[in-house]
Amino acid sequence: MLEQYRIILGSQSPRRKELLALLDLPFTCQVIDTEEIYPAELRGAEIPVYLAKLKAAAFEPLPDDKTLLITADTIVWLDGQVLGKPHTPAEARNMLHRLSGKTHQVFTGVCLTSLRKQKTFSVCSDVTFASLTDEEIDYYVEKYNPLDKAGAYGIQEWIGGIGVEKINGSYFNVMGLPVQKLYQELKQF
């Protein structure tokens, strides 16, 4: 399908690497640190699309016309606010308390870049959490690493098994890369 391209995943996320590998396409990972700052007026899906494009811009110019760069960003959106990656265990607990018993959105923005063109898209999944006890939240924060995850949780971890009541949309999107939509976009690219 994409034999003419050398695919680079511009991410250090082990989850994105694992998810892209599901497509059975050869790729390498490369990261150029980018400060993830976005204009305050952006809302919902606009934020991760902007950040995915920002990450792609850090690679410019691409080395040749055989390179296809994939960059992505995921946010958790609750009550009109972004829940980013927590900086402390206390902040992680606070985020999980806010998500408890509510439905939130997970938006992933993806940017496909070659020398000739660039395509962006986003995917939204609605995630409903059961009401979580203080003990459950403390257990998760102490036993897992919520500090490297948007919204302080990984759906593929213990908290997803005990806390997520339902998902409307892509499970893989909640993990950080909407592989089904990505596959469709890559076929058209």
Side-chain angles (χ1 to χ4, degrees):
M1 167 179 74
L2 295 163
E3 297 82 15
Q4 73 271 28
Y5 287 112
R6 185 178 67 258
I7 299 173
I8 297 173
L9 175 62
S11 176
Q12 61 189 1
S13 164
R15 290 167 297 280
R16 285 200 183 102
K17 184 177 179 181
E18 175 187 332
L19 292 172
L20 184 57
L22 292 175
L23 297 183
D24 284 343
L25 297 170
F27 68 94
T28 58
C29 292
Q30 188 177 342
V31 180
I32 297 176
D33 283 331
T34 309
E35 202 168 355
E36 297 183 12
I37 296 174
Y38 56 89
E41 67 272 6
L42 296 183
R43 314 295 295 157
E46 297 170 332
I47 297 167
V49 167
Y50 178 91
L51 292 173
K53 285 178 75 171
L54 190 69
K55 290 175 182 180
F59 284 85
E60 291 176 357
L62 291 177
D64 54 51
D65 61 359
K66 302 284 186 216
T67 302
L68 172 59
L69 174 67
I70 301 171
T71 53
D73 195 81
T74 301
I75 64 161
V76 170
W77 185 257
L78 176 68
D79 300 330
Q81 291 185 316
V82 174
L83 297 185
K85 294 176 184 174
H87 297 101
T88 64
E91 194 177 346
R93 285 182 182 87
N94 183 347
M95 286 184 186
L96 292 168
H97 276 289
R98 290 181 61 196
L99 293 169
S100 176
K102 293 184 179 172
T103 298
H104 63 275
Q105 288 71 47
V106 177
F107 292 105
T108 300
V110 179
C111 184
L112 306 177
T113 306
S114 71
L115 273 182
R116 293 193 175 97
K117 60 184 172 177
Q118 187 172 71
K119 167 80 183 201
T120 60
F121 63 91
S122 66
V123 172
C124 177
S125 301
D126 292 320
V127 180
T128 302
F129 262 93
S131 292
L132 301 170
T133 66
D134 289 345
E135 293 78 18
E136 290 165 339
I137 289 171
D138 288 343
Y139 178 84
Y140 179 69
V141 171
E142 290 165 15
K143 298 278 184 192
Y144 293 85
N145 183 19
L147 303 186
D148 72 337
K149 296 169 184 75
Y153 78 94
I155 195 165
Q156 71 281 5
E157 296 174 338
W158 181 83
I159 196 96
I162 66 104
V164 174
E165 286 185 344
K166 68 179 176 179
I167 301 170
N168 184 12
S170 167
Y171 171 84
F172 295 119
N173 179 54
V174 182
M175 276 183 71
L177 193 66
V179 288
Q180 193 278 332
K181 175 71 170 165
L182 174 59
Y183 180 72
Q184 297 304 320
E185 294 289 344
L186 285 170
K187 285 198 309 188
Q188 294 172 20
F189 197 80

